[in-house]
Amino acid sequence: MAEAAKSASKSTKSGFTSEERAAMRERAKELKASANREEATKAVLEAIAEMPDEERVVAERLHAVVTAAAPELDPRLWYGQPAYAKDGAIVCFFQNPSKFKTRYTTLGFNDSARLDDGTMWPTSFAITSLTAASEKAITALVKKAVS
């Protein structure tokens, strides 16, 4: 392991790495912002604006689709990513690939989403691009999730 990587992830007296402390500070800011819908929405839009171009385009469209499908959901940041909550519980969330070092954008649903279907069902979806058909499917999923 490179020396810089070792020191960056080394635990301090508190037992937390610098990355863990930064994540805790970020989470505290998210919680504070989520108390006010207007501030939370602003934080979500700012996070989307900071994404790389291709991811930002998908995130902007996805935000529009989710908020149109379920206006009762409250936009908020969750682990620095756009998420949408009902009664304080995250229903669905966005993950951009550059932040999580993955191949594709992900739309995920938490257990508060009402997507139960038999004994097994998907809780996250890879999105490579948004088409009219995929937007229609996302709209249906979001509506079902909050039903």
Side-chain angles (χ1 to χ4, degrees), residues 76-139:
R76 63 178 57 185
L77 289 179
W78 193 51
Y79 299 104
Q81 296 289 287
Y84 305 88
K86 183 176 180 182
D87 301 327
I90 301 296
V91 174
C92 61
F93 56 91
F94 176 90
Q95 290 180 326
N96 63 318
S98 62
K99 179 170 181 159
F100 293 95
K101 310 218 182 332
T102 58
R103 289 189 308 147
Y104 41 75
T105 297
T106 303
L107 173 64
F109 292 87
N110 277 348
D111 59 347
S112 59
R114 298 177 184 268
L115 297 177
D116 305 31
D117 185 19
T119 60
M120 188 171 99
W121 56 90
T123 59
S124 66
F125 298 84
I127 299 173
T128 56
S129 67
L130 287 174
T131 63
S134 61
E135 287 183 16
K136 185 177 178 181
I138 290 166
T139 297

Side-chain angles (χ1 to χ4, degrees), residues 35-46:
N36 176 305
R37 183 180 173 105
E38 186 176 307
E39 286 297 315
T41 301
K42 180 180 172 189
V44 165
L45 294 174
E46 287 172 357

